[in-house]
Structure formats: structure tokens, C-alpha cells
Amino acid sequence: MKKFYFLLAALVVVIMTSCVKFKTEATVDVEVLKAGKPVSGVAVYKFKDNGLGEGTTIYKSNAKESETTNSGGVAHFDLKSPDDLDPSDVAGVENSDQATFFFCTYDAEGTRNGIVMVSVKTGDKKTVQLNME
């Protein structure tokens, strides 16, 4: 009887996960500039605002993800469900989510030297500029 309940629970989990489509929901390109010129090879860290504002960005260890800028000074971030935004399609029902993200750079000592805040919703393709000190 215990095996039956276990198999039933496993079946419910499989059915529920097949109803949610996990995919890239939005993209953000962060252009890193220093004195007005693009900077390549810089790590840009992504933070999702969970109600604490930019306070979580003081330490880069709190970041959810990081990307390095390319030769044009751009770091590309794919915001995916369910970590960044809610899934846009749950059991065939369209859903739209919106969240605020902070993108930061840090110097060699771990001190934040650049920050930009952006509000992103499902389907957005945004480009923002981050000016380093």
C-alpha cells in the first residue's frame, strides 16, 4: 500500500512539472562603461530584489549569477523561470510576472563600484548602462 501512495505522489509530481514550461522569460544586456567608454572583461553580478532593496548588493557573494562583459563591454543575462520570473505558461494559462533586478560591478577588494536597477517583466528585452566609478 505504501508503494501505491509513493507511485501516486511521483505521478502527481510528473504531471505538475509537465504543465509548467521553464524557459527564458526576458533578457537584459548590461553595458558597462567607465569614463564613457565600454569596459571588457568585467564581471557583472545579478541580484533579484526580494524586498530588501539594494542592501543585498553590498556583498557580491549574495549574487544569483554573474556574467563577464564581452569586447563591446556588454554582459548578457537570460532571466529564466522559475528562478528569476514566474513561468509564462502554467497548464496552458498565460501568466505575466514583473520583478526588479540590480546589476553590479565590484573592484579587486570586493567594494561595489557600479550599480544599475532595472524593472523587468515577462517578454522584455532590455539594455541598460552601468557606469563604473
Side-chain angles (χ1 to χ4, degrees), residues 71-90:
S71 60
V74 177
H76 178 79
F77 290 89
D78 289 324
L79 304 180
K80 299 182 179 186
S81 61
D83 295 334
D84 299 316
L85 296 168
D86 290 339
S88 61
D89 185 2
V90 179

Side-chain angles (χ1 to χ4, degrees), residues 54-75:
E54 68 177 80
T56 59
T57 67
I58 294 172
Y59 302 105
K60 65 182 174 182
S61 59
N62 293 333
K64 298 291 182 192
E65 178 184 358
S66 70
E67 294 289 336
T68 304
T69 57
N70 61 19
S71 60
V74 177

Side-chain angles (χ1 to χ4, degrees), residues 30-33 37-45 60 66-76 104-108 113 132:
V30 181
E31 296 179 50
V32 178
L33 304 172
K37 296 183 180 179
V39 183
S40 64
V42 173
V44 179
Y45 296 85
K60 65 182 174 182
S66 70
E67 294 289 336
T68 304
T69 57
N70 61 19
S71 60
V74 177
H76 178 79
C104 302
T105 56
Y106 296 85
D107 64 15
N113 61 3
M132 291 176 51

Side-chain angles (χ1 to χ4, degrees), residues 68-131:
T68 304
T69 57
N70 61 19
S71 60
V74 177
H76 178 79
F77 290 89
D78 289 324
L79 304 180
K80 299 182 179 186
S81 61
D83 295 334
D84 299 316
L85 296 168
D86 290 339
S88 61
D89 185 2
V90 179
V93 177
E94 292 294 319
N95 182 31
S96 182
D97 189 23
Q98 184 168 342
T100 301
F101 293 90
F102 296 99
F103 296 94
C104 302
T105 56
Y106 296 85
D107 64 15
E109 293 148 5
T111 303
R112 186 179 69 202
N113 61 3
I115 184 170
V116 65
M117 179 181 80
V118 62
S119 182
V120 180
K121 66 180 184 209
T122 302
D124 279 350
K125 294 178 193 248
K126 292 195 171 185
T127 300
V128 295
Q129 289 186 339
L130 186 151
N131 292 302

